[in-house]
């Protein structure tokens, strides 16, 4: 171990390099999704934009085919939020993160108090494995078994109790559809497990989000007591002190570029894990701007990176059949930044203009 200090820009550049944001990579879409340990995907389109901004020549049809062919799935995992992951990671990550998802259920039992949860899970599994169903359809059928109970609460409980995947066309670029669910076991034709070890997942986290603190890893995963994991991994890690005096850990051979290396402008989608996967996010976004990103309805804005840091938000607007990118910077932009954003934004417009449905 070491007490070497690692500054804010050094942390930023290390993170950007591992997130494939300093330079686009030539990598298959599914390999990139696995490298990132999944991509947050409450909405269908953000993973596509997230891969476009990270991969050279990314075509949305490549990821769409992986979803349609059941090699990638959308399922609640880290932080009890929907992630797009490979089928392999789904089977290993869901058992590991089940305690996180359980907290989401047992922390809000309103509407299901007194119900036998094992019986509810059994009934929900039978209905969803009979045929995929929306939450409304599932709740209505469960309400017949538990009359007088709120159908939405019954369906929400089953979503926590069982590993439910959202099936196509939901999540497929250019298509639309309600979130329709079945179990991961039926969809993938394999049982869950064995669960990934927390040690393995922490190592993967550091490889993609490091250097990072114990609290950072807990924020990303939703898991608790990771101090024990870091304790076991200690001999395999190096540590630093960041500018705020926190101890941050890393893999010895992980890339840590020169802090002054150029970082090109990048457009990140809503919910991008670059923004959400640390307790202290000051090496990505200034504290005063962090609060502006999360809205009351749980949305997290799409963001613009300039010199590696979040410097504004962006959105797509359509008028008369044409797409346009609207950027709202946090402050005045230099001419060079405006020109660079315009060039990158024009490429993004061409990408999103192909979205239909």
């Amino acid at each position: 171990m070491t007490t070497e200090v690692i500054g804010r820009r050094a942390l930023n550049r290390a993170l950007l390099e591992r997130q494939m944001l300093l330079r686009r990579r030539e990598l298959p879409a599914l390999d990139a999704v696995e490298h990132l340990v999944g991509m947050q995907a409450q909405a269908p389109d953000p993973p596509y934009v997230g891969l476009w901004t990270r991969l050279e020549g990314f075509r949305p049809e490549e990821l769409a085919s992986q979803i349609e062919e059941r090699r990638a799935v959308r399922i609640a995992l880290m932080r009890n939020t929907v992630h797009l992951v490979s089928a392999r990671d789904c089977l290993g990550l869901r058992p590991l993160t089940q305690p996180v998802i359980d907290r989401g259920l047992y922390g809000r039992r309103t509407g299901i108090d007194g119900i036998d949860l094992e019986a509810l899970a059994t009934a929900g599994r039978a209905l969803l494995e009979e045929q995929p169903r929306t939450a409304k359809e599932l709740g209505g059928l469960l309400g017949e078994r538990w009359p007088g109970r709120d159908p939405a609460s019954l369906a929400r409980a089953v979503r926590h109790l069982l590993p439910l995947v959202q099936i196509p066309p939901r999540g497929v670029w250019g298509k639309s559809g309600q979130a329709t669910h079945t179990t991961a076991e039926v969809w993938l034709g394999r049982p869950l497990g064995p669960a990934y070890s927390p040690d393995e997942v922490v190592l993967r986290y550091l490889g993609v989000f490091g250097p990072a603190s114990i609290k950072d890893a807990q924020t990303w995963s939703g898991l608790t007591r990771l101090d024990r994991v870091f304790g076991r991994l200690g001999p395999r890690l190096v540590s630093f002190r960041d500018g705020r005096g926190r101890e941050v850990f890393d893999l010895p051979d992980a890339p840590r570029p020169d802090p002054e290396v150029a970082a090109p402008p990048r457009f990140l989608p809503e919910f991008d894990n670059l923004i959400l996967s640390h307790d202290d996010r000051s090496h990505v976004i200034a504290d005063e701007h962090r609060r502006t990103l999360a809205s009351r309805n749980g949305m997290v804005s799409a963001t613009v990176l300039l010199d590696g840091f979040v410097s504004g938000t962006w959105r797509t607007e359509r008028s008369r059949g044409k797409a346009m990118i609207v950027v709202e910077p946090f402050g005045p932009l230099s001419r060079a930044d405006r020109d660079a954003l315009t060039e990158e934004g024009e490429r993004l417009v061409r990408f999103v203009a192909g979205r239909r449905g």
Side-chain angles (χ1 to χ4, degrees):
M1 295 292 182
T2 177
T3 57
E4 180 183 347
V5 174
I6 185 167
R8 178 170 173 259
R9 287 183 65 88
L11 287 169
N12 175 270
R13 293 315 196 248
L15 178 60
L16 294 182
E17 173 65 21
R18 300 172 205 198
Q19 287 282 317
M20 301 181 285
L21 292 168
L22 282 183
R23 53 193 174 89
R24 285 184 167 93
R25 306 287 179 82
E26 294 185 2
L27 197 65
L30 195 60
D31 289 355
V33 171
E34 284 200 336
H35 168 77
L36 295 167
V37 202
M39 305 181 75
Q40 196 157 322
Q42 284 100 319
D45 289 348
Y48 292 89
V49 177
L51 290 178
W52 172 84
T53 207
R54 289 171 166 92
L55 300 181
E56 192 69 50
F58 170 70
R59 297 174 63 252
E61 296 83 5
E62 181 188 358
L63 178 60
S65 68
Q66 299 297 310
I67 295 171
E68 292 175 320
E69 295 168 10
R70 310 190 188 195
R71 296 189 181 96
V73 295
R74 301 173 73 244
I75 185 172
L77 293 169
M78 288 73 72
R79 304 186 298 281
N80 194 14
T81 54
V82 175
H83 278 70
L84 173 74
V85 294
S86 69
R88 174 170 52 191
D89 275 351
C90 168
L91 297 172
L93 283 171
R94 179 58 188 240
L96 175 67
T97 57
Q98 187 61 47
V100 180
I101 296 162
D102 287 343
R103 289 202 304 270
L105 172 63
Y106 297 118
R108 47 180 300 178
R109 295 288 296 274
T110 304
I112 60 169
D113 292 332
I115 289 181
D116 182 334
L117 295 183
E118 184 175 349
L120 179 59
T122 299
R125 181 179 291 277
L127 289 168
L128 292 167
E129 293 186 347
E130 178 183 49
Q131 68 179 65
R133 304 181 191 273
T134 66
K136 184 176 181 179
E137 292 167 343
L138 176 63
L141 292 168
L142 291 171
E144 296 175 5
R145 169 88 178 263
W146 285 276
R149 298 287 189 159
D150 174 38
S153 296
L154 296 173
R156 185 166 50 247
V158 169
R159 180 259 191 189
H160 287 80
L161 293 166
L162 300 177
L164 302 185
V165 297
Q166 297 183 8
I167 67 169
R170 184 74 170 178
V172 174
W173 184 263
K175 299 182 180 180
S176 60
Q178 291 181 286
T180 305
H181 304 84
T182 189
T183 64
E185 297 97 327
V186 162
W187 186 248
L188 298 177
R190 288 171 281 172
L192 293 183
Y196 287 166
S197 76
D199 299 42
E200 172 189 2
V201 171
V202 163
L203 291 173
R204 287 181 66 181
Y205 170 76
L206 291 175
V208 183
F209 294 98
S213 71
I214 296 171
K215 284 188 176 181
D216 290 333
Q218 292 181 160
T219 295
W220 167 76
S221 64
L223 297 169
T224 59
R225 301 178 179 177
L226 290 186
D227 53 323
R228 301 174 181 179
V229 176
F230 278 81
R232 289 194 300 270
L233 293 174
R236 302 171 60 182
L237 305 176
V238 294
S239 74
F240 306 88
R241 292 286 174 184
D242 69 7
R244 295 183 171 184
R246 302 181 316 147
E247 187 174 23
V248 293
F249 300 87
D250 205 5
L251 308 178
D253 298 326
R256 290 182 285 275
D258 187 314
E260 299 308 316
V261 68
R266 291 288 185 251
F267 287 82
L268 297 180
E270 299 95 329
F271 306 110
D272 197 279
N273 273 339
L274 181 88
I275 310 300
L276 300 174
S277 298
H278 297 83
D279 174 59
D280 185 334
R281 302 171 194 175
S282 59
H283 61 302
V284 175
I285 180 170
D287 290 338
E288 62 266 27
H289 297 144
R290 177 175 169 176
R291 291 184 293 274
T292 68
L293 295 185
S295 66
R296 291 182 180 179
N297 63 0
M299 293 293 293
V300 177
S301 301
T303 54
V304 173
L305 299 183
L306 286 173
D307 190 31
F309 295 88
V310 176
S311 300
T313 62
W314 67 274
R315 66 183 185 275
T316 304
E317 291 187 356
R318 293 181 182 272
S319 177
R320 299 180 181 180
K322 294 184 178 181
M324 176 173 60
I325 302 297
V326 178
V327 176
E328 295 185 359
F330 292 149
L333 300 179
S334 68
R335 180 181 295 275
D337 283 341
R338 287 198 302 270
D339 291 346
L341 275 179
T342 298
E343 183 179 350
E344 183 75 354
E346 288 174 350
R347 288 194 286 266
L348 178 57
V349 165
R350 291 192 291 272
F351 179 79
V352 301
R355 175 71 167 92
R356 297 290 184 267

